[in-house]
Amino acid sequence: MSAREEILGRVRAALADVAPATEPVVGPLAVEPTDAERLDLFVERVADYRAVVERVAEADLAAHVASLFAPGDRVVVPPGLPEDLVAALAHPVADNALGAADLDAADAVVTTAAVGIAETGTIVLDHGPGQGRRALTLVPDRHVCVVRAEQVVADVPQAVTRLAAAVRSGQPLTWISGPSATSDIELDRVEGVHGPRALHVVLVD
Amino acid sequence: MSRTFVGMPPFPTAAREALADTQLRHNLAHATGVIRAKRAALVEEQGEVWEPLRLAGAAVKQRALDDLATHLLTLEEQLTSAGATVHWARDAAEASQVVLDVARAHDVDEVVKVKSMVTAEIGLNEHLEAHGVAAWETDLAELIVQLAGDLPSHILVPAIHRNRAEVREIFLREMASAGRPAPADLTDEPAVLAAAAREHLREKFLRAKVGVSGANFAIAETGSLVVVESEGNGRMCLTLPEVLVSVVGIEKVVPTWAELDPLMRLLPRSSTGERMNPYTSVWSGVREGDGPQEVHVVLLDNGRTRALADQVGRQALRCIRCSACLNVCPVYERTGGHAYGSVYPGPIGAILNPLLHGQGDPQTDSLPYASSLCGACFEACPVRIDIPEVLVHLRTQVVDAHRSDRVPKAEAAAMRATAWAFSDASRLGLVERAAGLSGRVLGRLTRSTLPGGRAALGRLPGPGAAWTTARDLPAPPPESFRAWWARTDGGREDGS
Ligand code: SF4
């Protein structure tokens, strides 16, 4: 008997006494905040992780993002990033199958996001246009992420609902809550281990 | 380089040794206290939502287990249609062999690993190493443990038994032989040590061809695996290599994408005491042009169906490995993880190990007694596993299994003594002095040194002989810190 058949057989035998529940479980929902509360909370909670977070008007976005870099910085730009953002950068590096070493040599990366979660201060990438493949937001040491007000949801249940279509179509997700961190040595929190050591979130509203 | 828990003495013996280690007790009390406080603040912030959330988390996992065969088949189908290769493994040996075969097919002599309890459970690193493939742990704590040739002592912070000065020494001494050496001017600042780990591991991430991971959740409906982490080493291993093998216990299944919600709200709060962990990766098989283009998933039994058949014990398979039960456990706080002799320590280890392995081994049989049945673990558990209920149930199984024994088991008596010692500080002092006394006697038999420089005993005389013929037992120190403090007034009087 194959391992597959044997394991499935053992599972069925073990559960002979059980009548399974068929309805999916729905987690409890909290009170819906107002738009203003939601965005304020998002900003507060992102900052809580010691990420830099700023609110910028649409008209100022490109100039503001460009101002975040030093003149010589090589900034990776994923396919689909809005053209005015790319045009404002001094040294944009397009991702035409950059190798890991190329990414390691870059100074930063600019992306958009799919969803922001106010309650937890999280940004979620579904790696669609403007967000790039996963390595792009991992290897460079600085990640600048542009999030739009209408992308910010109140909490995790709302985020899971919004992300369902992307997951069903096979897209990977990366949930990011602050810069990478460790508390492995005497429980002392250190920001910046293997992922970007600096996370910069720009909220457009 | 790596060590295993195989051959650890039963809990009471190991616990007595751990109790005599005051540094360990201090680190543990600090760590568990800090995480407990962070978790408590977040639970309070959730207010009235927290209890319904726990009920939802328990219901999702229970629903998944109750119809496990159906969900596993859906998972397999979805993974396969997403371009992944699904393997089934009855036991540790089969699972390890799958990983080795993949490594061999790509002709590599190393793999990079994300911290994963299941690969520790199956002894994967040892299997790979025995066949010439180095398995590099990339989580900072796991790296410390691996470089030191040590054993993990906590699910979440495996190196909690090491302080910063020790970590610095380990890095200076061991990093060079594993790759990029530590900088000569390394200090013991945690930020500096983390930076050294970043440099050391980055060269491995950038060149690795094969990555190995576990998974926190496996979503049947969409064929997605989920890894929850902090440092970004997980993302590195899941994204940069060309080939990825994930070993997933069959109990990790979550039926639908939407049901991930309560679990993602419960896990970070219960585990690190954060609203959300820094990074969560979700991927479904192969994504063209992004990440590994060859993806394997190993679905592992290794005793899980045994646990599933136990009507009282099967709830333990709901466990999401958050470690909240460890942090609230008065027994764990004093003994640490090593005393449990398994990758799964603490209250969950005390039930999960016997459920996975069955009765008969003295080490495993002693675990259901490593508890005062205070119930703190049940209250903390985000998926409401009634650990005390399962402990009592397993004790009856142990008793039943030993009914035919003519001689009373030594650990039965030892366990009563351990419980007695835990209950009172002055009694603990007595036990420490007794351990020190026998330590001085036993010290004459000292044969070798354990990692960390602690003396190890050779072969014990009398009843201890059976298990010390083949393995080392750490010698208790001649005098405990508490005894030294009392004798010398904290070093102010010269007691040397
Ligand atoms: S038994 Fe519960 S509290 Fe303990 S690690 Fe598992 S999920 Fe967490």
Side-chain angles (χ1 to χ4, degrees):
Chain A
M1 208 193 302
S2 70
R4 179 178 186 273
E5 292 316 310
E6 194 169 330
I7 294 169
L8 288 169
R10 288 186 203 162
V11 168
R12 292 195 181 102
L15 294 170
D17 63 311
V18 177
T22 46
E23 284 303 298
V25 175
V26 179
L29 299 177
V31 188
E32 176 73 30
T34 66
D35 280 1
E37 282 170 354
R38 202 181 69 233
L39 296 179
D40 287 349
L41 186 63
F42 178 69
V43 168
E44 179 198 314
R45 293 281 159 90
V46 173
D48 234 27
Y49 294 118
R50 295 182 223 177
V52 181
V53 53
E54 290 166 311
R55 300 176 80 150
V56 176
E58 176 75 58
D60 305 330
L61 178 63
H64 181 78
V65 168
S67 77
L68 299 175
F69 303 105
D73 280 357
R74 300 172 33 140
V75 181
V76 177
V77 292
L81 193 72
E83 271 167 28
D84 57 330
L85 281 182
V86 181
L89 295 169
H91 284 283
V93 180
D95 174 34
N96 26 44
L98 295 172
D102 302 325
L103 291 173
D104 198 28
D107 297 290
V109 58
V110 181
T111 70
T112 56
V115 166
I117 309 175
E119 194 202 355
T120 59
T122 303
I123 52 174
V124 185
L125 310 188
D126 65 12
H127 302 282
Q131 300 165 53
R133 61 200 165 93
R134 286 171 285 169
L136 257 52
T137 37
L138 174 62
V139 182
D141 208 10
R142 186 158 176 228
H143 179 195
V144 175
C145 186
V146 177
V147 183
R148 296 183 176 274
E150 66 273 14
Q151 293 179 315
V152 178
V153 298
D155 52 20
V156 172
Q158 292 184 5
V160 166
T161 304
R162 274 220 196 172
L163 293 162
V167 174
R168 292 215 168 84
S169 74
Q171 287 172 246
L173 303 180
T174 306
W175 301 39
I176 300 171
S177 309
S180 75
T182 183
S183 302
D184 280 349
I185 300 168
E186 295 183 14
L187 242 52
D188 234 23
R189 188 174 166 98
V190 175
E191 266 88 25
V193 197
H194 304 297
R197 283 185 275 199
L199 173 68
H200 200 124
V201 175
V202 181
L203 175 64
V204 189
D205 68 340
Chain B
M1 184 189 278
S2 45
R3 290 177 63 205
T4 67
F5 284 103
V6 175
M8 283 285 284
F11 184 83
T13 314
R16 231 166 315 175
E17 179 243 318
L19 278 173
D21 187 337
T22 7
Q23 175 74 51
L24 175 70
R25 284 165 52 86
H26 170 81
N27 290 2
L28 278 169
H30 173 65
T32 54
V34 168
I35 304 174
R36 256 197 325 260
K38 286 172 71 183
R39 176 189 164 277
L42 289 180
V43 167
E44 192 169 287
E45 184 181 279
Q46 288 289 291
E48 285 173 8
V49 176
W50 185 250
E51 285 309 315
L53 198 54
R54 286 177 75 213
L55 285 165
V60 169
K61 293 290 292 187
Q62 193 57 49
R63 180 172 109 82
L65 294 170
D66 283 351
D67 198 7
L68 190 56
T70 306
H71 299 310
L72 285 171
L73 288 171
T74 309
L75 178 68
E76 180 189 43
E77 192 187 316
Q78 291 300 317
L79 281 167
T80 309
S81 70
T85 307
V86 176
H87 310 258
W88 298 74
R90 277 172 278 235
D91 54 28
E94 283 187 359
S96 296
Q97 192 58 38
V98 171
V99 183
L100 179 63
D101 289 344
V102 171
R104 280 188 171 154
H106 292 274
D107 209 19
V108 296
D109 58 8
E110 63 174 8
V111 300
V112 286
K113 285 188 65 205
V114 196
K115 174 180 170 187
S116 129
M117 306 206 57
V118 73
T119 57
E121 172 194 327
I122 63 173
L124 179 64
N125 294 7
E126 295 71 33
H127 187 72
L128 293 177
E129 274 164 28
H131 293 87
V133 177
W136 302 117
E137 292 293 351
T138 62
D139 173 80
L140 179 53
E142 296 279 345
L143 175 74
I144 296 167
V145 165
Q146 185 177 48
L147 286 174
D150 230 345
L151 290 170
S153 57
H154 189 285
I155 293 182
L156 188 67
V157 269
I160 198 62
H161 57 291
R162 295 289 190 179
N163 62 35
R164 60 182 74 191
E166 291 177 302
V167 174
R168 175 177 173 271
E169 270 172 43
I170 292 164
F171 279 10
L172 284 171
R173 197 175 61 229
E174 303 293 341
M175 267 187 178
S177 62
R180 188 187 172 111
D185 58 353
L186 189 72
T187 70
D188 65 4
E189 270 304 299
V192 173
L193 294 168
R198 176 186 169 97
E199 293 308 316
H200 177 79
L201 288 171
R202 191 153 275 239
E203 85 175 0
K204 292 197 163 75
F205 290 136
L206 296 186
R207 74 165 183 237
K209 282 216 170 56
V210 177
V212 176
S213 83
N216 293 88
F217 307 107
I219 298 157
E221 178 198 25
T222 57
S224 313
L225 300 189
V226 181
V227 163
V228 171
E229 54 139 351
S230 294
E231 295 173 10
N233 61 309
R235 293 177 68 194
M236 290 278 179
C237 295
L238 301 172
T239 312
L240 295 184
E242 295 157 22
V243 180
L244 174 63
V245 193
S246 305
V247 182
V248 182
I250 54 173
E251 84 285 14
K252 296 291 177 191
V253 170
V254 173
T256 63
W257 165 252
E259 286 167 294
L260 183 64
D261 159 45
L263 301 169
M264 280 307 297
R265 285 193 268 170
L266 289 162
L267 178 56
R269 288 183 171 91
S270 304
S271 140
T272 45
E274 296 170 297
R275 292 191 191 95
M276 193 57 83
N277 50 290
Y279 297 135
T280 298
S281 297
V282 181
W283 75 102
S284 316
V286 176
R287 179 78 177 161
E288 201 191 323
D290 184 354
Q293 296 298 297
E294 182 180 325
V295 170
H296 298 265
V297 177
V298 186
L299 298 175
L300 174 74
D301 181 345
N302 205 34
R304 284 158 180 77
T305 49
R306 195 191 176 286
L308 197 62
D310 186 312
Q311 295 186 9
V312 180
R314 59 168 67 120
Q315 57 182 311
L317 295 176
R318 297 204 296 253
C319 175
I320 55 174
R321 313 276 188 264
C322 71
S323 72
C325 58
L326 277 63
N327 298 328
V328 298
C329 177
V331 177
Y332 177 86
E333 185 179 311
R334 286 164 179 78
T335 63
H338 291 155
Y340 294 82
S342 155
V343 265
Y344 303 115
I348 181 60
I351 60 173
L352 194 58
N353 292 302
L355 285 164
L356 294 175
H357 304 125
Q359 279 73 44
D361 172 63
Q363 201 281 323
T364 310
D365 284 357
S366 71
L367 290 177
Y369 296 89
S371 167
S372 63
L373 300 180
C374 74
C377 45
F378 177 38
E379 249 168 75
C381 179
V383 286
R384 297 179 53 92
I385 299 169
D386 191 342
I387 296 176
E389 179 194 20
V390 182
L391 284 167
V392 171
H393 166 73
L394 290 169
R395 286 182 187 184
T396 61
Q397 288 191 358
V398 172
V399 171
D400 285 346
H402 289 287
R403 261 194 221 297
S404 55
D405 297 359
R406 297 237 181 79
V407 193
K409 283 276 160 198
E411 58 267 27
M415 188 48 71
R416 282 192 290 277
T418 311
W420 176 79
F422 283 142
S423 63
D424 180 297
S426 67
R427 285 179 192 163
L428 181 65
L430 281 175
V431 172
E432 283 179 356
R433 281 196 289 284
L437 196 66
S438 55
R440 281 194 291 278
V441 177
L442 297 170
R444 296 196 203 117
L445 304 163
T446 295
R447 187 182 63 180
S448 59
T449 314
L450 291 179
R454 199 181 287 146
L457 296 173
R459 200 157 178 276
L460 283 180
W467 55 263
T468 46
T469 5
R471 47 190 85 95
D472 291 328
L473 161 69
E479 184 178 36
S480 77
F481 176 79
R482 289 151 55 103
W484 170 84
W485 184 276
R487 182 166 60 83
T488 64
D489 190 19
R492 280 182 282 274
E493 278 171 33
D494 182 25
S496 80

